[in-house]
Amino acid sequence: MKFAFPLLAGLPLIATTGMNCTVIQLDTLSAPVDENQVYRLCRSPDHTGPLPLHLFAHGDGSFGSWTEAYDDYITYFTDAGFVVAEYYSCGLDWACGIKGDEDFLEMLKIAASMRDSANENVDFNYGISASGHSSGARAALMIAAARDTDDYLPDRIKDKITPSMSDMLEILAAVIPNHPDGMYDPTNHENPNVPGFAISETPTLILTGEWDYVELEGSAFRDWNNITSPSRVYMNVAHARHGECSDHKPPRGAPISTDFLSCHVKADKESCSRIYDSEAESYYGAAEYLAQGDHARNNAIVKTADGEEISTPYVASHRTAAIDKSGNKSDNGRL
């Protein structure tokens, strides 16, 4: 499949060329019916050898083969040189923990199983990354919080993390929550520990849309604003509804998603520049992607260096050397 899409000069659009997928049985996955105790492993035929592993978490109600609704989004990752694993289990929130607060464990089970079986598709030297949509975005936020905050998870969840799964947590390199649930609301029982929820290290990109009327207005930015990771990015996508990554062709959040992973997993400097450098050809000026107008729904509300409060669809902050494996440090935080 190939899609035409208008772009700001200098920004890449990966032309999706298709992917090869295999459905794999994994009995440790949680599912009310056995046929959903599987995950799908996908990769591009254009990339050979072991590749970095990316884990994708579907939204509530997208169980079994319905997860294939995300294929146009997933194909961007495979074309960018990632192997993508997405679980078919946990089709409804009630199937995994309390209102889905154990969904993220499925990603750890898959990664641990692949590492323990020495799966030849994956190079774990890159670490792993995770993304998800809606309830799956909550799973992506929770896996990052579980990595960064020792006392975040209650014992009923922590006790289910095996040593191999814990090893996978330790090598989590980046997460991309796509139209996430609000993690800040104490009445939201999908987050098992609202006061203890914290992402302090894991690079995080949150995507939302100006036409997302499923989540409360400003909810995604409030999630982002509570994250203290030195590398964090927020994008309010133009005209994007809640189901953008499954029902829009091409998904407008896909290019920055693959750039974000290429930056933080592969240490690709050009990808990092497109995300964090406001003076280069970057997403800061990408009108094709960003919600327009000073008061677009779900814009970020931030303060400038002069203390002025403004509404903006894009915020990117980077203050660590996480992207540079050579050890060179940088401090290029941007509004």
Side-chain angles (χ1 to χ4, degrees):
M1 297 175 291
K2 292 190 177 181
F3 301 110
F5 195 81
L7 287 170
L8 182 73
L11 286 182
L13 177 65
I14 299 171
T16 57
T17 57
M19 56 187 179
N20 298 328
C21 299
T22 303
V23 175
I24 300 171
Q25 181 79 25
L26 184 58
D27 292 340
T28 58
L29 293 176
S30 303
V33 289
D34 291 343
E35 56 262 35
N36 288 334
Q37 285 183 300
V38 299
Y39 67 93
R40 191 169 63 140
L41 189 67
C42 300
R43 62 179 297 156
S44 168
D46 295 334
H47 294 276
T48 60
L51 300 171
L53 175 63
H54 181 69
L55 301 150
F56 181 79
H58 59 71
D60 188 23
S62 298
F63 52 87
S65 60
W66 286 3
T67 60
E68 294 170 19
Y70 298 102
D71 277 5
D72 292 308
Y73 185 61
I74 297 300
T75 304
Y76 278 79
F77 294 108
T78 58
D79 280 0
F82 291 85
V83 175
V84 179
E86 49 183 334
Y87 54 84
Y88 278 17
S89 52
C90 297
L92 299 170
D93 278 349
W94 58 261
C96 293
I98 300 174
K99 295 189 72 175
D101 64 5
E102 295 180 13
D103 286 5
F104 79 98
L105 295 177
E106 305 298 90
M107 294 189 280
L108 293 177
K109 293 173 186 176
I110 292 169
S113 173
M114 295 181 73
R115 198 279 305 269
D116 291 348
S117 63
N119 190 293
E120 61 184 10
N121 287 287
V122 178
D123 184 348
F124 284 101
N125 290 317
Y126 286 100
I128 63 173
S129 57
S131 66
H133 169 241
S134 193
S135 293
R138 179 201 339 122
L141 288 167
M142 285 188 64
I143 197 173
R147 177 197 180 276
D148 292 355
T149 310
D150 289 339
D151 57 356
Y152 168 56
L153 296 175
D155 288 342
R156 66 174 173 84
I157 299 178
K158 189 179 296 185
D159 290 346
K160 296 181 180 180
I161 298 178
T162 66
S164 291
M165 292 164 65
S166 181
D167 289 344
M168 296 298 96
L169 263 185
E170 291 299 318
I171 61 171
L172 182 67
V175 296
I176 305 174
N178 209 311
H179 298 255
D181 295 334
M183 304 298 286
Y184 50 83
D185 185 353
T187 66
N188 175 11
H189 301 294
E190 297 159 336
N191 183 356
N193 184 1
V194 172
F197 174 80
I199 299 175
S200 57
E201 297 179 12
T202 304
T204 304
L205 162 65
I206 288 186
L207 295 169
T208 189
E210 63 174 328
W211 290 356
D212 186 341
Y213 291 96
V214 173
E215 304 295 344
L216 294 175
E217 183 172 2
S219 175
F221 177 67
R222 189 168 176 181
D223 280 343
W224 184 88
N225 209 34
N226 287 333
I227 293 170
T228 59
S229 169
S231 298
R232 56 187 183 134
V233 179
Y234 180 85
M235 177 183 275
N236 186 22
V237 179
H239 305 161
R241 295 179 172 84
H242 186 71
E244 163 76 15
C245 64
S246 63
D247 61 21
H248 192 277
K249 303 179 186 300
R252 286 162 287 198
I256 191 172
S257 296
T258 54
D259 264 336
F260 191 76
L261 293 190
S262 294
C263 172
H264 289 286
V265 176
K266 295 183 176 182
D268 182 77
K269 292 183 178 180
E270 291 185 2
S271 296
C272 296
S273 180
R274 283 191 289 269
I275 291 172
Y276 294 111
D277 189 352
S278 61
E279 298 175 359
E281 294 284 7
S282 72
Y283 292 97
Y284 280 90
E288 295 87 351
Y289 299 109
L290 302 178
Q292 300 299 301
D294 292 339
H295 301 288
R297 178 183 173 88
N298 291 324
N299 265 3
I301 306 298
V302 297
K303 287 186 177 181
T304 67
D306 298 329
E308 178 186 2
E309 196 171 80
I310 63 170
S311 169
T312 177
Y314 189 77
V315 191
S317 175
H318 174 64
R319 302 187 309 277
T320 74
I323 63 170
D324 192 340
K325 293 184 177 180
S326 69
N328 296 326
K329 294 184 178 180
S330 62
D331 185 358
N332 59 338
R334 295 283 190 269
L335 174 67

